[in-house]
């Protein structure tokens, strides 16, 4: 009888509770039922882990999957959908529907988020 080894995946999310971009990633992880370790970040005193995992932009969210960082919320959501493709698809297979979803995500990022930041 052969012993089957089940590889445990390490999934860590570097985030800040009030981040709407982080919320996008947390929703995707929840939809897929992916267990992960949440590491709250102090945005005024950035952790060395955050600086190491996102050395270019030095911002959240960052998904760390088996030691490899994925940055930028929309890219993280697409990554989640591609890696865990056997659970609850986040995007349609239809190219037009997928383009439409990307349009609205970009609209929220560039218009709604910008308006929100101006109001603060």
């Amino acid at each position: 009888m052969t012993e089957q080894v089940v590889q445990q995946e390490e999934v860590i999310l570097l985030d800040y509770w009030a981040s709407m971009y982080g919320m996008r990633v947390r929703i995707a992880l929840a939809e897929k039922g992916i267990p992960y370790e949440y590491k709250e970040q102090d945005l005024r005193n950035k952790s060395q882990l955050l600086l190491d995992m996102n050395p270019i932009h030095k911002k959240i969210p960052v998904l760390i999957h088996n030691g490899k960082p994925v940055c930028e919320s929309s890219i993280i959501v697409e990554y989640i959908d591609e890696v865990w493709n056997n659970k609850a698809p986040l995007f349609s297979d239809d190219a037009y529907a997928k383009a439409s979803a990307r349009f609205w995500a970009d609209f929220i990022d560039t218009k709604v988020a910008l308006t929100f930041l101006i109001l603060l």
Side-chain angles (χ1 to χ4, degrees), residues 10-59:
E10 177 189 50
V11 180
I12 300 169
L13 179 61
L14 307 181
D15 196 11
Y16 178 67
W17 71 271
S19 169
M20 63 186 245
Y21 301 108
M23 179 62 70
R24 177 186 291 166
V25 175
R26 293 191 303 270
I27 290 169
L29 289 167
E31 284 294 316
K32 293 281 192 173
I34 301 165
Y36 65 96
E37 180 181 350
Y38 177 84
K39 292 193 176 186
E40 180 83 11
Q41 298 297 299
D42 178 350
L43 301 180
R44 292 188 179 151
N45 185 24
K46 297 180 179 176
S47 71
Q48 191 60 50
L49 181 59
L50 175 59
L51 298 175
D52 290 345
M53 293 294 116
N54 192 354
I56 304 300
H57 297 295
K58 302 173 178 68
K59 62 183 184 176

Side-chain angles (χ1 to χ4, degrees), residues 49-109:
L49 181 59
L50 175 59
L51 298 175
D52 290 345
M53 293 294 116
N54 192 354
I56 304 300
H57 297 295
K58 302 173 178 68
K59 62 183 184 176
I60 50 105
V62 176
L63 182 78
I64 305 169
H65 182 215
N66 294 330
K68 297 177 184 174
V70 181
C71 305
E72 299 296 321
S73 65
S74 58
I75 295 169
I76 295 169
V77 170
E78 288 184 30
Y79 177 84
I80 289 168
D81 201 38
E82 290 174 12
V83 170
W84 291 279
N85 59 6
N86 60 335
K87 302 176 182 178
L90 301 174
F91 295 98
S92 172
D93 286 337
D94 178 69
Y96 182 79
K98 193 181 293 186
S100 182
R102 287 184 176 134
F103 169 83
W104 287 111
D106 180 67
F107 179 82
I108 291 170
D109 288 349

